[in-house]
Amino acid sequence: MNAPIIDPLQGDFPEVIEEYLEHGVIKCVAFNHRGSLLAAGCADGGCVIFDFETRGIAKEIRDIDCSAAITSVSWSKYGHRLLVSAADKSLTLWDVSTGEKIARTILQQTPLQARLNPGLTSPSLCLACPLSSAPMIVDFDIDCTTLLPVAVPEMPDVLAPPQRSKCPESNPPFSPAAACFNKCGDLVYIGNSKGEILVIDYKSVRVLALVPVSGAAPVKNIVFSRNGQYLLTNSHDRTIRIYENLLPAKNVLKSLEDLGKNIDGIDDGVEKLKTVGSKCLTLFREFQDSVTKMHWKAPCFSGDGEWVVGGSACKGEHKIYIWDRAGHLVKILEGPKEALIDLAWHPVHPIIVSVSLAGLVYIWAKDYTENWSAFAPDFKELEENEEYVEREDEFDLIPETEKVKVLDVNEDEEVDIETVEKDAFSDSDTSVEELRYLPAEPIPDTNDQQDNLVESIKLVEGQISASPASEEAVQNGHGADHVLSPQGEELGDTRGKRKRKPSEKAMELQAEKAKPSKGSGRTVRAKSRAGIDQEIDDSVNDADDDDDDASYY
Amino acid sequence: MAEEVPATTTTASFTPYVHSQTLTTHERAVSSIKFSSDGRFLASASADKTLRTYTINTDGDPIAEPGREFAGHEYGISDVAFSSDARFIASASDDKTLKLWDVETGSLIKTLIGHTNYAFCVNFNPQSNMIVSGSFDETVRIWDVTTGKCLKVLPAHSDPVTAVDFNRDGSLIVSSSYDGLCRIWDAGTGHCIKTLIDDENPPVSYVRFSPNGKFILVGTLDNTLRLWNISSAKFLKTYTCHVNSQYCVSSAFSVTNGKRIVSGSEDNCVYMWELNSRKLLQKLEGHTEPVMTVACHPTENLIASGSLDKSVKIWTQKKE
């Protein structure tokens, strides 16, 4: 791949706003697995997918029934499906390539965040975190929701009874718990309001481990890094904590079971869970802004897990903090004075995307300084002045060093032009076709523009021959020109068409006022033109004069 | 009609290509010829201001059936390119525009305006959401297929840009020019990553990426073809014996039956070398004027060539 020749500082972080995307009022964003597409949920209930390379709109997904603001968007691992949660308590699963709705369900409460299971190819299982109830697993296939436990009961009985959709009255109200899947999607990690991280097997609805977060403040966000090695929690005590995931990548459930079994002598439920928990996660670092003590919003990892980014939750300011994993604050990005509501780091490139309260998506990228040595390979960029020492024979007429020119290339070596190296995304199972791009549908030039171009060419030629027949030939052109058939059209029809055309052309002219003025008016017959526009204008003028259709102007 | 004359002793396993079909659909010289990536279509661009597509039936006789004609350019066309799904073709013309056409219906979809001199070369990226074009105005432009907007203008060279190509994942662009340089650009940001230049810098008439994107095949106007390794910036193989000192003759990799390099030549023949040994395997004769462009079918042992003699010839491997 291009990895060897691209600047090895790929893992660097962005510095300036490169551009912004706008499409209505955007509320939340999510990159697909490779960062080639960006899904954005809007306040009017629609979801738009941007082609991130061209920064244009690739697709719009809209549910006619739903007009409530989107609260979160989530891609499936291979990019075929998109899960959209909206303020009208609904969760909708869309098929990306066709733009069709796969499933829809209404929950009891508005889900603030919904995530598709990252382990499945075509997931219909998702995790939803509503505003004021426990996170739940929603299965679209069997259309059932399962509430997950957010607390370990103090009794020895570890198994929390699985609950059906209704929120039981006995639970005291609590602030929203945050939850996320682990990398392969077998476990759910929940950060609850007591400042604990619970590791839950959602299939059997059992708490398998418990990790207390120091400070015991309610956990607002919990996010895994892309490679599943690090876990980040954002707590109400204004601290972001990084945990290292000690569990193996595969067969996590089995390892946890084994861990549970191996601990002898501890019968107490909670203690046992804590011991297991200590084998799952260890605290790595803590980040906070000791000066301003601000709350953080939408923290996440960079694509390679090297950097941690968090947005400031203060109103009226758009600040993004970037730390390296060792804990040092490396950069504070300041944007326009609009509050930040969502943040995402591109999976591959050092690009950050932030959503402001005004509904604009700002794209932050590295401030690039031209690498001059790329333009001239023998050009060496120096950091500071260096004393230049000449070679002994530098100014000789025939320098020694140039006499012997050995072609040190072994031309007989085998060259392999076909094998492709496995690229960095080897965590994806290559047996599954990934949806990386949506096919580009070129928007056709409007018929006016096309006809103008075509007609202008033909009108020019028509005038030269000055015969009505060839002018009719003009009317053949609606873009689909195959063979010019001069005698093809009816005189009456073409006259009719011709009368209509100029008015459209007039509008075109209005639209094209910005174009350079056609100074040399009537020299239509001279074919050597700089711009097609001038030909349109001139030929139009001529045509109308001929036709006495000056009224159209 | 045409005889193939192996210039050197051929290896036992080499089956010579024979002439199979001549298409004379164009009224003036053929400037560029391309197969679609699924091998179903062939497109040819000509100085007669039109493009033509042909349906390829690899088992049929004739192999290529003329399909549609695409007219609309004001001046001759220098290059044509298929999108990956073969739904669209793009053409670069001396009228300074690029046009995007629908292959099925033959209709013009978009005109990309922006170059200030002849548009000379064009290519789609593998995702087919972007088009790259090189021009005599010394710039390389990247266009968005959906909107037709010019996304980036790269100040690529100091002489006309003769060829542009994307690598297999669309992340890099290579451009070549009469100024003797080949430059590699990052397709996403438009920044120059590398410049490949040898000690002497003869005008570079053609460049393209190898199938795996690690090497580039460079044709220069000193009758030489070279295979460069991009990361080491050194050339690894040299192919000679053909004639290329005036025109921008294109060349191609043939991977369907052994790794080969195929190139057009100004001595009216199509040359074929073995990639690793650099041995000249075959000279396909039949054209009566310089062969400007060659293309290799992606899956079958089929070569198409276009020449100044207005014809397109199809060559296949002799059936045993």
Side-chain angles (χ1 to χ4, degrees):
Chain A
M1 219 180 76
N2 54 4
I5 57 168
I6 287 220
D7 194 331
L9 292 174
Q10 266 285 332
D12 229 359
F13 47 85
E15 289 154 3
V16 286
I17 291 182
E18 196 177 52
E19 63 183 298
Y20 67 90
L21 303 173
E22 191 174 5
H23 188 86
V25 178
I26 295 176
K27 290 274 166 209
C28 50
V29 287
F31 276 107
N32 70 341
H33 187 69
R34 294 207 174 224
S36 51
L37 299 170
L38 180 72
C42 306
D44 60 0
C47 185
V48 62
I49 298 180
F50 289 98
D51 178 334
F52 202 65
E53 285 179 4
T54 61
R55 309 280 158 89
I57 293 175
K59 209 175 197 89
E60 280 192 54
I61 292 179
R62 176 170 290 278
D63 190 351
I64 315 159
D65 314 315
C66 169
S67 56
I70 307 285
T71 52
S72 85
V73 281
S74 163
W75 290 86
S76 69
K77 181 160 186 204
Y78 295 107
H80 295 283
R81 296 186 175 194
L82 193 68
L83 180 71
V84 173
S85 66
D88 61 355
K89 309 180 191 172
S90 66
L91 277 179
T92 318
L93 189 64
W94 297 88
D95 180 304
V96 175
S97 41
T98 57
E100 309 248 313
K101 198 175 356 180
I102 300 176
R104 184 167 201 236
T105 159
I106 311 271
L107 300 174
Q108 290 286 327
Q109 283 153 350
T110 303
L112 282 181
Q113 204 201 67
R115 294 274 170 266
L116 276 172
N117 187 322
L120 305 174
T121 319
S122 300
S124 53
L125 196 76
C126 71
L127 177 68
C129 304
L131 181 58
S132 52
S133 95
M136 58 183 75
I137 295 281
V138 178
D139 193 330
F140 286 101
D141 283 341
I142 52 179
D143 201 18
C144 99
T145 53
T146 318
L147 273 181
L148 294 172
V150 278
V152 176
E154 294 302 315
M155 298 96 71
D157 172 25
V158 171
L159 294 167
Q163 310 194 17
R164 288 280 132 179
S165 5
K166 235 166 160 224
C167 196
E169 310 301 327
S170 52
N171 276 6
F174 47 75
S175 46
C180 71
F181 277 107
N182 71 338
K183 183 166 167 221
C184 18
D186 346 351
L187 296 173
V188 173
Y189 284 66
I190 293 187
N192 66 10
S193 53
K194 285 193 272 175
E196 294 164 343
I197 301 176
L198 302 168
V199 181
I200 294 176
D201 171 14
Y202 62 86
K203 291 202 182 77
S204 54
V205 196
R206 279 189 309 144
V207 179
L208 294 175
L210 188 146
V211 180
V213 175
S214 41
V219 176
K220 296 198 292 183
N221 301 95
I222 185 166
V223 175
F224 259 99
S225 74
R226 195 186 154 93
N227 54 9
Q229 282 187 315
Y230 294 97
L231 179 71
L232 175 159
T233 60
N234 177 19
S235 307
H236 199 74
D237 64 351
R238 305 145 207 239
T239 311
I240 293 178
R241 291 182 178 82
I242 309 286
Y243 288 86
E244 204 172 322
N245 184 13
L246 301 168
L247 293 172
K250 306 252 190 292
N251 297 321
V252 188
L253 277 175
K254 182 114 188 353
S255 327
L256 273 179
E257 300 283 354
D258 293 341
L259 276 174
K261 288 196 194 89
N262 289 344
I263 298 170
D264 300 319
I266 306 174
D267 303 316
D268 188 36
V270 176
E271 280 309 312
K272 181 167 170 198
L273 289 178
K274 280 193 184 156
T275 321
V276 178
S278 62
K279 303 245 187 316
C280 300
L281 294 173
T282 55
L283 180 62
F284 190 65
R285 281 286 180 276
E286 283 188 3
F287 305 127
Q288 59 186 67
D289 187 344
S290 38
V291 174
T292 57
K293 291 243 180 280
M294 61 171 68
H295 283 277
W296 302 108
K297 203 168 169 67
C300 59
F301 282 98
S302 71
D304 50 5
E306 282 296 317
W307 314 95
V308 177
V309 65
S312 135
C314 298
K315 284 228 173 5
E317 69 174 13
H318 196 96
K319 273 195 183 165
I320 300 171
Y321 283 64
I322 305 178
W323 298 268
D324 69 7
R325 226 172 45 223
H328 309 119
L329 178 66
V330 290
K331 190 91 186 166
I332 300 177
L333 301 175
E334 276 209 54
K337 295 270 177 269
E338 298 154 3
L340 188 142
I341 53 177
D342 200 4
L343 197 61
W345 193 301
H346 192 283
V348 184
H349 298 124
I351 293 179
I352 289 178
V353 152
S354 68
V355 184
S356 76
L357 196 57
L360 295 173
V361 175
Y362 291 101
I363 300 176
W364 299 80
K366 279 177 74 67
D367 192 11
Y368 186 79
T369 45
E370 205 68 60
N371 177 16
W372 298 111
S373 53
F375 280 94
D378 49 354
F379 199 88
K380 206 174 76 167
E381 289 182 31
L382 300 172
E383 292 293 307
E384 52 179 25
N385 286 340
E386 275 179 22
E387 185 84 29
Y388 181 66
V389 178
E390 299 146 10
R391 277 193 334 265
E392 188 64 44
D393 57 359
E394 176 137 1
F395 294 106
D396 289 356
L397 278 171
I398 313 160
E400 283 292 320
T401 47
E402 280 182 30
K403 277 191 195 150
V404 182
K405 228 174 157 222
V406 177
L407 196 68
D408 54 355
V409 175
N410 179 8
E411 288 227 351
D412 293 323
E413 250 179 78
E414 286 282 317
V415 165
D416 181 9
I417 56 161
E418 280 202 298
T419 28
V420 182
E421 276 158 11
K422 216 159 167 298
D423 75 70
F425 287 82
S426 48
D427 57 346
S428 353
D429 179 11
T430 44
S431 59
V432 180
E433 178 80 37
E434 196 178 324
L435 184 81
R436 291 194 215 183
Y437 303 97
L438 290 170
E441 295 290 331
I443 301 165
D445 284 343
T446 57
N447 274 336
D448 305 331
Q449 290 167 330
Q450 273 187 34
D451 288 333
N452 284 340
L453 287 174
V454 170
E455 287 192 355
S456 66
I457 302 165
K458 309 259 171 64
L459 272 173
V460 166
E461 300 186 54
Q463 254 112 48
I464 291 173
S465 55
S467 72
S470 55
E471 279 170 344
E472 282 151 55
V474 166
Q475 307 313 324
N476 279 347
H478 282 281
D481 284 303
H482 298 284
V483 181
L484 292 177
S485 52
Q487 312 304 328
E489 301 286 279
E490 279 291 298
L491 196 63
D493 285 350
T494 56
R495 287 247 165 248
K497 278 190 208 159
R498 194 111 157 278
K499 281 199 174 131
R500 264 183 277 125
K501 287 287 186 270
S503 60
E504 291 162 16
K505 279 187 208 158
M507 293 190 300
E508 281 294 315
L509 280 177
Q510 303 298 328
E512 286 171 343
K513 273 226 174 85
K515 299 260 163 43
S517 62
K518 45 253 171 223
S520 47
R522 296 275 165 265
T523 54
V524 179
R525 280 148 224 260
K527 288 278 307 259
S528 52
R529 258 345 170 144
I532 296 168
D533 312 318
Q534 298 187 329
E535 286 189 80
I536 300 172
D537 302 338
D538 293 332
S539 58
V540 162
N541 292 340
D542 281 347
D544 287 333
D545 286 347
D546 290 346
D547 231 9
D548 273 342
D549 279 341
S551 58
Y552 282 99
Y553 282 106
Chain B
M1 220 184 333
E3 294 290 341
E4 74 285 1
V5 179
T8 53
T9 50
T10 56
T11 54
S13 58
F14 174 66
T15 320
Y17 276 78
V18 286
H19 171 263
S20 156
Q21 192 182 355
T22 301
L23 299 149
T24 46
T25 42
H26 283 292
E27 291 159 29
R28 289 185 65 187
V30 175
S31 56
S32 173
I33 198 167
K34 294 258 169 80
F35 279 101
S36 64
S37 40
D38 56 8
R40 282 189 303 141
F41 296 104
L42 181 67
S44 63
S46 166
D48 67 0
K49 312 176 201 166
T50 65
L51 294 170
R52 290 250 179 198
T53 48
Y54 314 85
T55 337
I56 298 289
N57 182 357
T58 46
D59 300 319
D61 182 36
I63 291 177
E65 282 283 344
R68 294 206 172 271
E69 182 191 8
F70 301 77
H73 274 297
E74 294 174 52
Y75 292 100
I77 305 176
S78 301
D79 202 6
V80 67
F82 273 101
S83 67
S84 315
D85 51 10
R87 281 176 58 201
F88 309 111
I89 42 175
S91 56
S93 162
D94 281 0
D95 63 6
K96 306 172 198 171
T97 66
L98 298 132
K99 285 192 193 275
L100 194 63
W101 313 80
D102 183 316
V103 174
E104 276 295 314
T105 63
S107 58
L108 170 65
I109 305 176
K110 291 194 95 58
T111 303
L112 310 179
I113 303 176
H115 278 299
T116 53
N117 207 326
Y118 311 138
F120 198 71
C121 42
V122 69
N123 245 316
F124 275 90
N125 67 343
Q127 301 84 272
S128 294
N129 57 357
M130 296 203 282
I131 286 176
V132 66
S133 66
S135 159
F136 265 57
D137 66 5
E138 302 166 11
T139 63
V140 168
R141 280 181 186 250
I142 304 180
W143 311 80
D144 176 12
V145 171
T146 317
T147 56
K149 253 187 354 170
C150 179
L151 295 171
K152 293 203 176 59
V153 181
L154 311 180
H157 292 279
S158 50
D159 267 323
V161 178
T162 50
V164 280
D165 192 22
F166 273 102
N167 67 341
R168 64 180 300 277
D169 62 1
S171 55
L172 297 178
I173 293 172
V174 65
S175 67
S176 67
S177 161
Y178 281 150
D179 62 5
L181 304 174
C182 291
R183 288 208 161 114
I184 313 249
W185 310 83
D186 179 314
T189 57
H191 298 135
C192 180
I193 296 179
K194 212 155 201 172
T195 302
L196 298 169
I197 185 171
D198 197 14
D199 287 335
E200 292 120 34
N201 50 346
V204 182
S205 56
Y206 190 72
V207 75
R208 73 183 297 158
F209 273 105
S210 67
N212 63 359
K214 289 202 244 174
F215 304 97
I216 50 172
L217 184 63
V218 178
T220 46
L221 291 184
D222 60 351
N223 314 306
T224 320
L225 265 171
R226 287 204 172 86
L227 190 70
W228 286 74
N229 178 326
I230 299 176
S231 18
S232 70
K234 292 223 176 323
F235 62 88
L236 300 173
K237 304 272 178 191
T238 313
Y239 306 94
T240 50
C241 297
H242 63 296
V243 180
N244 184 8
S245 56
Q246 270 189 292
Y247 298 106
C248 288
V249 171
S250 74
S251 43
F253 288 95
S254 164
V255 295
T256 47
N257 187 6
K259 307 213 181 10
R260 301 182 186 158
I261 304 278
V262 182
S263 171
S265 166
E266 288 155 18
D267 63 1
N268 314 347
C269 301
V270 175
Y271 281 70
M272 193 182 335
W273 297 265
E274 192 178 335
L275 185 124
N276 275 311
S277 67
R278 292 147 20 240
K279 203 156 44 160
L280 178 64
L281 291 174
Q282 195 178 356
K283 263 170 69 168
L284 301 170
E285 293 175 14
H287 281 291
T288 51
E289 294 233 18
V291 178
M292 297 292 291
T293 172
V294 290
C296 295
H297 193 277
T299 49
E300 299 290 322
N301 299 326
L302 209 61
I303 294 177
S305 61
S307 158
L308 290 186
D309 65 6
K310 309 176 196 155
S311 71
V312 170
K313 287 192 191 285
I314 309 274
W315 314 80
T316 50
Q317 279 203 308
K318 217 183 343 208
K319 305 268 189 269
E320 300 297 302

